[in-house]
Every structure is written in structure tokens, then in C-alpha cells.
């Protein structure tokens, strides 16, 4: 049952608690293998832990752990909804709690890459079914009945011949002593009672009355508040600071120099710590810091993009290629070249970055809006030299994440301050800090070339991508290795149907820290890819949707594009509107979108409607999928038409929502989302709806006006 | 520092604070009602919206001294049990994603419906365009305001 080669990291850690019954955990095997269920001894405060995710007390109250962060994308609903289906409990009667950081128990908790459902659903289904079978076995044993005469429903085991019932609470102690079954049968999706239903989210009631606790809402007894004046040029050092005025502000307790780790670099700043946040902010206003900003470049936006364009003239560090693009392109008669540009962006979560740390002699406890609690546990253990088991990372609700809150910098800074002042402290990034300090989505320049064959299909395709490579920032990263991200967003099927292609990566070096931003490389790549496919369709004088269809060598893509064609009324579209289409693939899901634009009486453009078709394979909750696609579209609209982060003399220019402008309720019309039903494996939901929107919008604008937009952001009112 | 009386959700609180401290921080950090959120600090996002004498205001930009002795309602004061029609509509339409901006959105929507029980799309635009939602729940906010208006009309006709 247990493989012999389980490494220490993979082994379920024994909790050391006493009086306990059984706990089931996962052994996380090598990639591509099914997880095995193995047995450990453990107990929880909430009753008996049947496994890492499920605890039942003697009254029958079921507690389900959501081991991933909830930042709006719906893990707080999705994880319990999966478990409730096979466990046979009513979701309205279960208690849902966040898991603390513990990768030995839960596997990776880094909530990124739209991975929560697609990464764990099979294991969660199996684990929940195992727990249910153990409860059934306990009942059968008690009754002296055949297991096959027992079934589970709504938190009870029922004896079919007699109608006798026993609640899970009555059975859990006995069940916990049983061996987990080696094999369990999972339900056919057509028999689902809870999965695939648009059930209301369990966190919604908490989010309409102010009761949901976000990081910024968490308070500890004796907690102090800190704000930090960090170097605006990222890499500069504190030369000196004058805190004489700061220390006269009532409530200010400490002014200290701090250093946090940002990838392989150190970010320096001066922290003002006070007994209330307002006092800390006032103290910071009168703080004077002198910086040493020597020894690194102070980039401006223009310089950054000039450098990227220069890079494209050189040699890439790596290529993903098929056939011989150069030869094909040279000989082609129907060919095209275009350059696309996307800006740097701030994540700008509505809840600014913040974190509470309480560091004592040999312990560290963290609370905050956190996307990677296990990662932070690992990192802080190393940075503070505290054993991992003494580092507790607690998750709160997140007021947005989008990749920013997956990162380890801000908990590290909070821990450094707490350690120094010997008190629990909440470090709050003001909106200005949040907008200007990064890490940012990297700005990119794409050079695309394409050639058509005699049938006006794509014979050769090339994209050269220049910009900061996120992977190159990690300690020990190989800066010469091939970066797969260069094709993120591109349809897998195009790689089959296009006979000659070439993707090149031209990484830019800059002191500006960059990080995953919702849908990561797809969020920018897709604009170049799907705009250029559209330009090639125009070159071939073909309908843009038909042109794409000719390159989709797989039934799954055809089903999606046919659905999109139907729901958007593509074939019967009128002449007074512009229609644009784009199809992208991101985190194992395929999404197609059609945008319809028209001119208002004043001649300005407006977006009338967006149709989206999502194929994410196996799924949990159709209403959450619709919500995520709606939200992704609006976030993409912001990055396309409203905001960008510019740099001047090494500093971010836009500081708050007055200059870093967000989409508003007035900016978007109706969004209609459709979901494909099929037998495919689960794909991502939180991010894949974002990439196709921008190219679909600019393609629609071209359709209406003949104007091709190749640089973002652009002002919709000025097209 | 000054001793200031705040009347929040029909309860009186005496706070000892810098008179220039924004009402937001007095509500959150001194009174301890954390449903009202900090988003931008410059009245651009609406996350901190509360009712001051029945009007929606940005509590990040109202000095606490200005709010002294006036009636303040925060998200916590709408109902004890999520029964306010706007809360009901927000649940029915499944509006929140991360939920961080929703206190402000709901306070703006309740103020709108109080003075205009049957708002048009244009009315909704002008009442809500000061509120940012980074998750992009705008289409659902619009629907929820319309269904809240219906719920309120039904309630009124029953009375």
C-alpha cells in the first residue's frame, strides 16, 4: 500500500496529538501518478480527523478544510463542493475552514496557475469516497449487515432492507479505526447531486455584511502597526535617515531600517511602527530618508522599450521551432510582419498588500492575505533560521490576489520588523506602496512574422518575445535555458497545423521586479498571437473565424468554435457593428470570445456585448465559472484600455487610482458565458477567460474601423 | 488628541483621536468595525463608503471630527441577519468574488435605492461609477440593484 521510496518530504507528518483516531493523508507521488491514500495517526480540535480535509465530531458536524487561498476565485466553495459530493453530506451543514501552510499534509498550496481544482480534484474525490466507505463499513459492522446493503446520504448511513439509519457522528470513532479501502468507486458525473450545480458560494453571506475577515481586518492583542518607506528605485540602499520629526508624532513607537528579500535582491526601507495605523502613516510623512541609488540602472519606460526593440535584432537565448521558418518566409509571396507592445502593470488588488507577523525566540506566526502559505512557511523557516514546524502561516480571506500575493517578500518584511521590535506587528502597504513597489507584470514587445500558402493557410509563423523573464529572477535560475512561457496562450492545435514555426525569447535585464499577473504570460502573449492570426486572415482575405477553424485540427477546438459562432450570431452579424474573435489556451482550458463594438452617436466606440465559451473540461460550479470569466474580461479591459505602469528615472510613475485608472461599471456591457460539457480532464477557471478578450476587442475595432491596434493600453474614446 | 463621540449603527462610542484622523481609521482601528475597507485613501475607489446622516460618504476623506455626533451607518448596521433587500439581492445574484469592495458597493446601492426606489441603468451608472471592483463584478452589481429594487417594492406592497 505504501511505496517504499517515500521521501521525508512526501511522508505525512505525525501530529503528535494524543487520543486520536485515524487520519488519511496523501502520499504525493511523482508527476503523473495517482495519489495513494495512506494512514497516519492524528486528531483535530474539531472532532476526529478522518483525513487531512475532513473532520467529523460526535454530533455529526462535518468540518472541511479549504487548503488553498480564497481570493475571489472560489476555492472556498470548490474544494468543499468536491468533497461533499463523494462524502454524501449537505454543503449547507458543513463548517469550512482554511488550512494552515503545510505542504506535507496538503501538497502544494500555492494558489496560482488556476490549479486548485485541476490539480487536486481526483485526489479529493478519492479521499472523500474513502471516508464515506469507512463510515459505511462501521455501520455495517455495528448492524452485522452486509456492506452492500448500506448506502450513505446526507450525513447518514442507511440500511437499505430495514431503513435503519446511523448519523456520521455516531460512526466516526469506529470508522476512524478501520483501514481505508484500497479501491473506491467514484460516481459517474451524470449522477452528481452537488457537483456541476450552480450552488451559491458559502462565503457570500460573509461578504455582504462585513464579517469576512481579510488580512487587513485581523487584529492580535498588543499588535502594533507599521508602514515602510521603501526605496522607490527598488535596489537602492538607505544611506541615512532623519526620524526626529517622526518620533514626535503621538503613537509612534519605533523607527527602524528594514531589509526584505525580493528574489535574489534586497529591498531596503525604513519602517515606522506605531500603536495605530494612522499614526504610523503620519510619522512616515515627516520621515526623511537619503538613498544611495548608485550601481544600477534607473530605467524610464522609453528606455525599457528601446532596449526590448534592440534585443529583437540580436539572437534569442532559445528557440522553439518546427520546420524551417526562415526559408519559408523568404520565399513566400503572401507574408506579413507586425510588432505588438504591452505595458508593465500593477496587480492592484483592492486589498493592498499587508501581513501580520509575530516572531518570538524560536517561533514565527503569520496571518495575512496569502496565496502560498506553504511556500512562506518554507521561506521564513530558512530566512529566520527557525524550524519549519515552528513557523505557522495562517490564511485569511484575500481581497484579490492575481499572483501578487503568492510572493514571499511582504511576509518576510513583516517578520523582520516583528523580530526586531519584539512584538506582533501588522505591516500595511498603502495604495501608493502597492501600486509603485511591484512586483509588476513585465512589459513586452512581440515581433510576429507569418506567411500563407497557396490555399491561404498559415505555412510559416514566427514570434519573437522581448521582455523581462520572470523565471530568471529566482535564485540559481539558469538564464540560458529555454523558456516555455514563450508559447503560453497559443493553441496547442496550431502547433500541429502550422508546418513551420519559430518562437524566440529575448530576456531583458532590469532592476524592476516582475511577477505573475493573472493568466501570466498568456495575458500579454495572446494579444500578439491572436491579433496576428487575425491580420493573417485579413491578408488571406478570409473570414477571421473561418480562418481559425481551418487551423483547428482537433474536434475539441472545433466544438468550441462552433458553439462560439452560434451563440454570438457570427454569421448573421450586421454591418454597423464590429465583431472580433480570439481563441486562446491557458492552464489546460480553452476559451473563445467574441466582442461586438459599435459607434455611439458622438462617434466614440462602445463595447456592446461579449460572448465567451469556456472549455475547462470537468468542472465544479457553473456559476463560479461564469463569474470568473466575467471578471477576467473586465480585468483584461482595464489592462487594454485604462491603466499601465510607467517608469521615470527608475521609479514607477502611477501611484493611485487617480492616475492608474480602473474600469468602472459604465465601461462594460453585457457578458454572456457558455460552458462546454465534455469528458475532458479539469482545466483552470480563474484565469483562462482573460487572454482572449483584448485581441477579440482590438480585432472587433479593426472590423468596424479598419484601424489595427498594436500597442496597449489605448483609449477607447480616442480610436 | 480629542475626545469625540461617534454614533455608529445607533450605538455611541467615545474615541480619543487626532481630530484630523479620517473617519475610516476611527471606525476600523478604534471602534473595531472592520467591514468598512481601506482601498485608496483618496476617495477614488469607494471601498470605505458609509452613510453619514443618510448620505453615502468616503470615510477615508472625512475627518473624524466632522462626523462627531452625527448618525453613521456602516455595513454592519444594515441588518443583523443579512435580511436587508440589498444584501438579499447580492446573495441571490452571487455578486461578491473576493468581496473586499462589496461593503462600499452595498452602502452606495442602499443609499441609491433609498432616494430612488426604481433606478434606471443611467441612475445606477452615476451612483456606482465611483466604486472600483477589481474582480469585475459590475454586471452582477447592476442586476442585483435591479432585483433589490423589486424586493423593496414587494415588501412595500405587502405593508
Amino acid at each position: 500500500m505504501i511505496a517504499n521510496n517515500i521521501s521525508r518530504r512526501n511522508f505525512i507528518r505525525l501530529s503528535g496529538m494524543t487520543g486520536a483516531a485515524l487520519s488519511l493523508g496523501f502520499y504525493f507521488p511523482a508527476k503523473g501518478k495517482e495519489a495513494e491514500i495512506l494512514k497516519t495517526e492524528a486528531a483535530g480540535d474539531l472532532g476526529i480527523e478522518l483525513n487531512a480535509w475532513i473532520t467529523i465530531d460526535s454530533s455529526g458536524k462535518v468540518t472541511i478544510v479549504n487548503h488553498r487561498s480564497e481570493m475571489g476565485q472560489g476555492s472556498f466553495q470548490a474544494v468543499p463542493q468536491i468533497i461533499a459530493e463523494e462524502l454524501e453530506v449537505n454543503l449547507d451543514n458543513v463548517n469550512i475552514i482554511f488550512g494552515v501552510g503545510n505542504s506535507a499534509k496538503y501538497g502544494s498550496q500555492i494558489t496560482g496557475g488556476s490549479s486548485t481544482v485541476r490539480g487536486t480534484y481526483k485526489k479529493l474525490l478519492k479521499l472523500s469516497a474513502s471516508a464515506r466507505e469507512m463510515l459505511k463499513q462501521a455501520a455495517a459492522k455495528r448492524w452485522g449487515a452486509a456492506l452492500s446493503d448500506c448506502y450513505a446520504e446526507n450525513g447518514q448511513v442507511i440500511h437499505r432492507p430495514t431503513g435503519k439509519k446511523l448519523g456520521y457522528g455516531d460512526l466516526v470513532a469506529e470508522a476512524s479505526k478501520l483501514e481505508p479501502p484500497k479501491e473506491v468507486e467514484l460516481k459517474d458525473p451524470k449522477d452528481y447531486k452537488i457537483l456541476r450545480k450552480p450552488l451559491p458560494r458559502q462565503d457570500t453571506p460573509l461578504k455582504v455584511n462585513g464579517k469576512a475577515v481579510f488580512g487587513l481586518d485581523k487584529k492580535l492583542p498588543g499588535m502594533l502597526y507599521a508602514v515602510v518607506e521603501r526605496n522607490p528605485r527598488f535596489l537602492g540602499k538607505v544611506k541615512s535617515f532623519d526620524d526626529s520629526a517622526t518620533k514626535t508624532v503621538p503613537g509612534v513607537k519605533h523607527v527602524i531600517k528594514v531589509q526584505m528579500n525580493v528574489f535574489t535582491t534586497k529591498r531596503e526601507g525604513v519602517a515606522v511602527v506605531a500603536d495605530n495605523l494612522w499614526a504610523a502613516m503620519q510619522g512616515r510623512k515627516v520621515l526623511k530618508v537619503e538613498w544611495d541609488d548608485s550601481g544600477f540602472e534607473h530605467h524610464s519606460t522609453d528606455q525599457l522599450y528601446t532596449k526590448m526593440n534592440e534585443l529583437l535584432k540580436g539572437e534569442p537565448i532559445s528557440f522553439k521551432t518546427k520546420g524551417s521558418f526562415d526559408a519559408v518566409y523568404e520565399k513566400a509571396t503572401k507574408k506579413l510582419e507586425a510588432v505588438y507592445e504591452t505595458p508593465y502593470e500593477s496587480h492592484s488588488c483592492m486589498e493592498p498588500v499587508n501581513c501580520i507577523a509575530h516572531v518570538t525566540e524560536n517561533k514565527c506566526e503569520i496571518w495575512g492575505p496569502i496565496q502560498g502559505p506553504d511556500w512562506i512557511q518554507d521561506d521564513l523557516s530558512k530566512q529566520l533560521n527557525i524550524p519549519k514546524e515552528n513557523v505557522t502561516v495562517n490564511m485569511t480571506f484575500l481581497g484579490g490576489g492575481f499572483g501578487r500575493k503568492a510572493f514571499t517578500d511582504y511576509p518576510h518584511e513583516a517578520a523582520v520588523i516583528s523580530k526586531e521590535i519584539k512584538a506582533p506587528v501588522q505591516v500595511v502597504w498603502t495604495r501608493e506602496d502597492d501600486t509603485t513597489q511591484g512586483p509588476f507584470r513585465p512589459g513586452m514587445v512581440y515581433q510576429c512574422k507569418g506567411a500563407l500558402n497557396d490555399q491561404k493557410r498559415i505555412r510559416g509563423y514566427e514570434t519573437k518575445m522581448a521582455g523581462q523573464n520572470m523565471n530568471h529572477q529566482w535564485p540559481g535560475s539558469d538564464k540560458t535555458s529555454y523558456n516555455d512561457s514563450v508559447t503560453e496562450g497559443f493553441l496547442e492545435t496550431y502547433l500541429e497545423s502550422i508546418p513551420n514555426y519559430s518562437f524566440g525569447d529575448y530576456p531583458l535585464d532590469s532592476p524592476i521586479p516582475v511577477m505573475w499577473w493573472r493568466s501570466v504570460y498568456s495575458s500579454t502573449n495572446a494579444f500578439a498571437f491572436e491579433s496576428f492570426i487575425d491580420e493573417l486572415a485579413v491578408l488571406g482575405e478570409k473570414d477571421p473565424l473561418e480562418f481559425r477553424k481551418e487551423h483547428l485540427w482537433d474536434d475539441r477546438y472545433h466544438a468550441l468554435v462552433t458553439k462560439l459562432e452560434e451563440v454570438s450570431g457570427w454569421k448573421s452579424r450586421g454591418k454597423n457593428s464590429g465583431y472580433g474573435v480570439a481563441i486562446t489556451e491557458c492552464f489546460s482550458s480553452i476559451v473563445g470570445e467574441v466582442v461586438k463594438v459599435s459607434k455611439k452617436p458622438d462617434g466614440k466606440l462602445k463595447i456592446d456585448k461579449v460572448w465567451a465559451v469556456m472549455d475547462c473540461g470537468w468542472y465544479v460550479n457553473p456559476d463560479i465559472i461564469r463569474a470568473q470569466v466575467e471578471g477576467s474580461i473586465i480585468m483584461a479591459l482595464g489592462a487594454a484600455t485604462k491603466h499601465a505602469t510607467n517608469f521615470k528615472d527608475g521609479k514607477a510613475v502611477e501611484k493611485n487610482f487617480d492616475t492608474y485608472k480602473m474600469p468602472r461599471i459604465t465601461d462594460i456591457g453585457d457578458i454572456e458565458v457558455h460552458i462546454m460539457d465534455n469528458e475532458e480532464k479539469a482545466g483552470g477557471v480563474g484565469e483562462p477567460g482573460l487572454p482572449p478578450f483584448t485581441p477579440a476587442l482590438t480585432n472587433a475595432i479593426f472590423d468596424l474601423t479598419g484601424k489595427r491596434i498594436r500597442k496597449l493600453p489605448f483609449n477607447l474614446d480616442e480610436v | 488628541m480629542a475626545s469625540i463621540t461617534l454614533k455608529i449603527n445607533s450605538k455611541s462610542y467615545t474615541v480619543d483621536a487626532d481630530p484630523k484622523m479620517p473617519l475610516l481609521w476611527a471606525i476600523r482601528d478604534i471602534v473595531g468595525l472592520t467591514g468598512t475597507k481601506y482601498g485608496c485613501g483618496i476617495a477614488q475607489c469607494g471601498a470605505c463608503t458609509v452613510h453619514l446622516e443618510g448620505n453615502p460618504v468616503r470615510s477615508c476623506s472625512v475627518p473624524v471630527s466632522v462626523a462627531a455626533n452625527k448618525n453613521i451607518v456602516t455595513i454592519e448596521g444594515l441588518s443583523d441577519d443579512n435580511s436587508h433587500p440589498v444584501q438579499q439581492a447580492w446573495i441571490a445574484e452571487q455578486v461578491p468574488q473576493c468581496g473586499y469592495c462589496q461593503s462600499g458597493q452595498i452602502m452606495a446601492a442602499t443609499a441609491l435605492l433609498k432616494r430612488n426606489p426604481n433606478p434606471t441603468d443611467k441612475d445606477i451608472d452615476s451612483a456606482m461609477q465611483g466604486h472600483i471592483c477589481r474582480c469585475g463584478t459590475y454586471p452582477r452589481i447592476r442586476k442585483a440593484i435591479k432585483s433589490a429594487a423589486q424586493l423593496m417594492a414587494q415588501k412595500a406592497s405587502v405593508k
Side-chain angles (χ1 to χ4, degrees):
Chain A
M1 188 172 90
I2 300 171
N4 292 325
N5 60 346
I6 300 174
S7 69
R8 264 184 67 197
R9 190 182 160 277
N10 286 335
F11 206 83
I12 304 299
R13 196 178 295 278
L14 301 183
S15 78
M17 285 188 249
T18 54
L22 175 97
S23 169
L24 294 182
F26 289 131
Y27 153 50
F28 290 91
K31 205 176 162 188
K33 285 188 194 161
E34 286 281 299
E36 282 182 51
I37 290 167
L38 48 90
K39 188 179 165 186
T40 61
E41 301 294 326
D45 302 331
L46 299 156
I48 296 169
E49 236 183 52
L50 271 181
N51 57 48
W53 277 264
I54 302 164
T55 302
I56 302 174
D57 75 6
S58 57
S59 75
K61 184 77 188 170
V62 176
T63 298
I64 292 177
V65 174
N66 170 30
H67 64 301
R68 291 297 185 98
S69 54
E70 173 53 63
M71 49 190 159
Q73 89 287 22
S75 71
F76 196 79
Q77 173 69 20
V79 170
Q81 196 168 337
I82 295 169
I83 290 173
E85 178 72 58
E86 288 289 355
L87 185 60
E88 296 288 355
V89 291
N90 182 341
L91 200 51
D92 292 336
N93 298 335
V94 307
N95 182 29
I96 304 167
I97 59 170
F98 289 115
V100 297
N102 187 340
S103 58
K105 193 170 182 179
Y106 302 115
S108 170
Q109 290 169 273
I110 297 168
T111 312
S114 295
S115 62
T116 299
V117 169
R118 70 189 179 107
T120 50
Y121 76 110
K122 286 182 178 169
K123 291 178 280 191
L124 292 177
L125 287 171
K126 199 171 166 186
L127 202 81
S128 317
S130 298
R132 179 200 67 223
E133 286 308 303
M134 289 157 76
L135 291 157
K136 278 168 62 186
Q137 281 172 25
K141 206 170 152 196
R142 179 111 46 103
W143 289 325
L147 184 63
S148 57
D149 282 341
C150 302
Y151 68 99
E153 195 176 78
N154 198 17
Q156 295 179 316
V157 180
I158 301 157
H159 186 235
R160 198 176 281 106
T162 62
K164 280 190 289 192
K165 291 174 182 175
L166 280 169
Y168 283 0
D170 284 332
L171 297 167
V172 67
E174 281 162 73
S176 65
K177 291 173 190 130
L178 301 171
E179 282 296 315
K182 287 201 171 113
E183 301 263 325
V184 284
E185 203 178 319
L186 300 180
K187 288 182 188 177
D188 190 303
K190 71 177 177 350
D191 298 325
Y192 286 157
K193 293 181 283 191
I194 295 172
L195 284 168
R196 300 211 172 180
K197 303 288 183 277
L199 299 181
R201 290 171 57 145
Q202 295 290 325
D203 54 350
T204 306
L206 301 170
K207 290 177 174 177
V208 300
N209 59 19
K211 290 210 172 75
V213 176
F214 295 88
L216 212 55
D217 304 331
K218 181 75 188 171
K219 313 273 175 205
L220 294 183
M223 187 180 91
L224 298 176
Y225 296 82
V227 289
V228 182
E229 181 71 25
R230 296 177 196 85
N231 187 288
R233 293 195 180 93
F234 314 110
L235 294 186
K237 305 289 171 210
V238 175
K239 196 193 271 174
S240 64
F241 64 90
D242 173 1
D243 61 1
S244 48
T246 304
K247 285 196 161 158
T248 65
V249 174
V252 170
K253 302 271 186 205
H254 311 272
V255 183
I256 55 170
K257 186 183 146 183
V258 289
Q259 200 180 54
M260 69 175 173
N261 293 338
V262 181
F263 302 101
T264 54
T265 66
K266 307 280 183 197
R267 175 80 54 82
E268 292 204 350
V270 178
V272 179
V273 186
D275 58 15
N276 71 79
L277 182 56
W278 173 246
M281 288 173 169
Q282 297 311 104
R284 181 180 168 192
K285 276 187 193 164
V286 291
L287 177 73
K288 294 188 188 96
V289 185
E290 207 184 326
W291 303 103
D292 173 6
D293 286 337
S294 60
F296 62 93
E297 291 187 84
H298 303 176
H299 285 144
S300 67
T301 301
D302 286 351
Q303 287 171 328
L304 288 163
Y305 284 84
T306 303
K307 274 174 178 260
M308 287 182 229
N309 279 297
E310 283 296 315
L311 282 169
L312 287 170
K313 292 175 190 159
E315 285 299 307
I317 56 158
S318 57
F319 263 109
K320 183 184 182 76
T321 57
K322 187 173 91 176
S324 47
F325 173 80
D326 286 340
V328 165
Y329 188 76
E330 199 185 332
K331 282 187 213 134
T333 51
K334 282 265 183 197
K335 60 184 171 184
L336 192 67
E337 181 182 340
V339 175
Y340 303 90
E341 199 179 299
T342 59
Y344 281 78
E345 294 286 7
S346 156
H347 296 75
S348 295
C349 307
M350 285 311 292
E351 180 192 21
V353 169
N354 66 89
C355 188
I356 297 173
H358 189 194
V359 180
T360 51
E361 191 84 349
N362 198 30
K363 263 191 180 169
C364 172
E365 191 154 13
I366 298 285
W367 289 261
I370 281 165
Q371 278 181 254
D374 50 333
W375 188 14
I376 287 163
Q377 186 194 26
D378 260 348
D379 184 68
L380 289 180
S381 169
K382 283 177 198 134
Q383 305 300 342
L384 303 171
N385 198 21
I386 292 176
K388 201 170 150 186
E389 56 271 24
N390 290 356
V391 179
T392 308
V393 182
N394 303 283
M395 286 189 279
T396 63
F397 281 108
L398 286 76
F402 312 121
R404 170 62 185 94
K405 291 170 183 166
F407 195 37
T408 54
D409 57 342
Y410 62 108
H412 180 236
E413 184 185 52
V416 166
I417 296 171
S418 172
K419 190 178 174 183
E420 173 126 3
I421 65 169
K422 298 186 169 60
V425 65
Q426 182 174 52
V427 180
V428 178
W429 296 43
T430 63
R431 172 57 57 198
E432 289 79 5
D433 297 333
D434 188 280
T435 313
T436 58
Q437 289 285 307
F440 303 91
R441 183 180 84 173
M444 292 285 175
V445 177
Y446 299 88
Q447 188 189 68
C448 298
K449 285 181 182 173
L452 302 182
N453 66 14
D454 294 343
Q455 288 78 45
K456 293 175 181 169
R457 289 195 192 161
I458 304 171
R459 185 158 182 234
Y461 180 97
E462 180 184 72
T463 295
K464 294 176 173 179
M465 172 176 90
Q468 285 185 254
N469 184 321
M470 291 180 250
N471 303 346
H472 286 182
Q473 300 172 107
W474 304 111
S477 66
D478 174 7
K479 295 191 180 183
T480 61
S481 74
Y482 176 67
N483 178 9
D484 247 340
S485 311
V486 104
T487 55
E488 262 184 35
F490 204 62
L491 297 182
E492 290 281 337
T493 188
Y494 287 164
L495 296 175
E496 304 275 318
S497 60
I498 298 171
N500 304 280
Y501 59 72
S502 168
F503 292 86
D505 181 18
Y506 298 74
L508 171 74
D509 244 354
S510 170
I512 298 164
V514 292
M515 185 62 178
W516 312 321
W517 189 98
R518 196 176 192 174
S519 77
V520 195
Y521 283 97
S522 299
S523 77
T524 54
N525 289 2
F527 173 59
F529 295 154
E530 278 295 282
S531 294
F532 194 63
I533 296 278
D534 220 69
E535 297 208 41
L536 290 173
V538 173
L539 178 72
E541 295 168 335
K542 290 200 173 182
D543 175 276
L545 196 144
E546 284 302 318
F547 181 73
R548 284 173 174 81
K549 259 188 187 175
E550 290 170 7
H551 296 86
L552 304 176
W553 281 14
D554 184 289
D555 291 346
R556 188 176 177 188
Y557 297 88
H558 266 280
L560 178 127
V561 77
T562 303
K563 178 89 178 174
L564 186 61
E565 191 172 25
E566 280 168 23
V567 298
S568 66
W570 180 267
K571 281 183 175 158
S572 56
R573 63 195 191 278
K575 291 230 182 305
N576 296 327
S577 309
Y579 278 66
V581 61
I583 313 161
T584 62
E585 193 159 346
C586 169
F587 301 137
S588 302
S589 290
I590 310 160
V591 182
E593 290 172 10
V594 166
V595 176
K596 179 188 174 196
V597 295
S598 65
K599 278 190 179 165
K600 293 186 276 193
D602 63 5
K604 290 178 181 172
L605 282 177
K606 71 178 170 69
I607 299 167
D608 295 317
K609 175 129 188 179
V610 185
W611 294 268
V613 181
M614 157 73 93
D615 180 355
C616 57
W618 188 94
Y619 62 84
V620 175
N621 186 319
D623 192 54
I624 292 180
I625 297 171
R626 283 192 285 271
Q628 286 307 299
V629 175
E630 291 160 11
S632 294
I633 285 168
I634 294 169
M635 192 159 173
L637 176 69
T641 66
K642 295 285 175 184
H643 51 72
T645 299
N646 289 287
F647 297 91
K648 198 178 169 187
D649 193 23
K651 302 178 194 175
V653 175
E654 292 77 11
K655 292 185 167 66
N656 203 322
F657 295 132
D658 52 345
T659 47
Y660 197 77
K661 291 183 185 295
M662 286 285 140
R664 305 274 174 166
I665 195 168
T666 43
D667 291 314
I668 189 76
D670 192 21
I671 301 173
E672 187 180 308
V673 182
H674 297 264
I675 302 161
M676 299 300 285
D677 263 305
N678 57 37
E679 304 296 313
E680 303 287 344
K681 276 190 239 164
V685 166
E687 301 170 84
L690 192 146
F693 174 75
T694 303
L697 171 64
T698 51
N699 293 341
I701 291 169
F702 177 81
D703 186 45
L704 183 68
T705 66
K707 187 170 178 192
R708 183 61 72 180
I709 290 160
R710 299 193 184 94
K711 183 178 174 179
L712 302 178
F714 66 97
N715 187 337
L716 209 53
D717 286 342
E718 290 169 7
V719 173
Chain B
M1 299 296 265
S3 182
I4 294 164
T5 301
L6 292 176
K7 292 199 292 192
I8 307 176
N9 305 331
S10 308
K11 265 179 85 174
S12 266
Y13 301 87
T14 306
V15 303
D16 195 26
D18 176 349
K20 292 197 296 289
M21 176 190 272
L23 176 61
L24 169 68
W25 300 115
I27 292 172
R28 284 183 55 84
D29 292 347
I30 303 179
V31 176
L33 294 170
T34 55
T36 304
K37 304 302 186 198
Y38 164 66
C40 67
I42 58 166
Q44 286 288 313
C45 78
C48 66
T49 301
V50 299
H51 296 175
L52 188 67
E53 297 295 345
N55 297 312
V57 298
R58 306 288 189 255
S59 65
C60 75
S61 303
V62 175
V64 64
S65 54
V66 171
N69 300 310
K70 291 184 180 149
N71 288 307
I72 301 162
V73 179
T74 69
I75 186 76
E76 291 90 346
L78 279 191
S79 72
D80 294 331
D81 53 1
N82 283 355
S83 59
H84 190 287
V86 173
Q87 292 172 312
Q88 288 289 300
W90 245 245
I91 294 170
E93 299 294 345
Q94 289 288 294
V95 175
Q97 289 184 29
C98 88
Y100 192 80
C101 73
Q102 298 296 342
S103 298
Q105 306 273 7
I106 288 170
M107 295 313 282
T110 52
L112 164 67
L113 290 166
K114 214 169 182 181
R115 62 172 194 271
N116 179 355
N118 196 15
T120 61
D121 277 326
K122 265 209 163 132
D123 298 333
I124 294 173
D125 281 351
S126 60
M128 305 305 291
Q129 66 184 354
H131 292 259
I132 296 172
C133 174
R134 186 66 160 147
C135 299
T137 63
Y138 301 129
R140 289 178 186 228
I141 288 172
R142 189 181 297 281
K143 276 185 209 154
I145 291 174
K146 289 177 180 172
S147 48
Q150 281 181 359
L151 278 174
M152 288 164 97
Q154 281 165 16
K155 267 196 174 176
S157 70
V158 170
K159 278 176 193 165

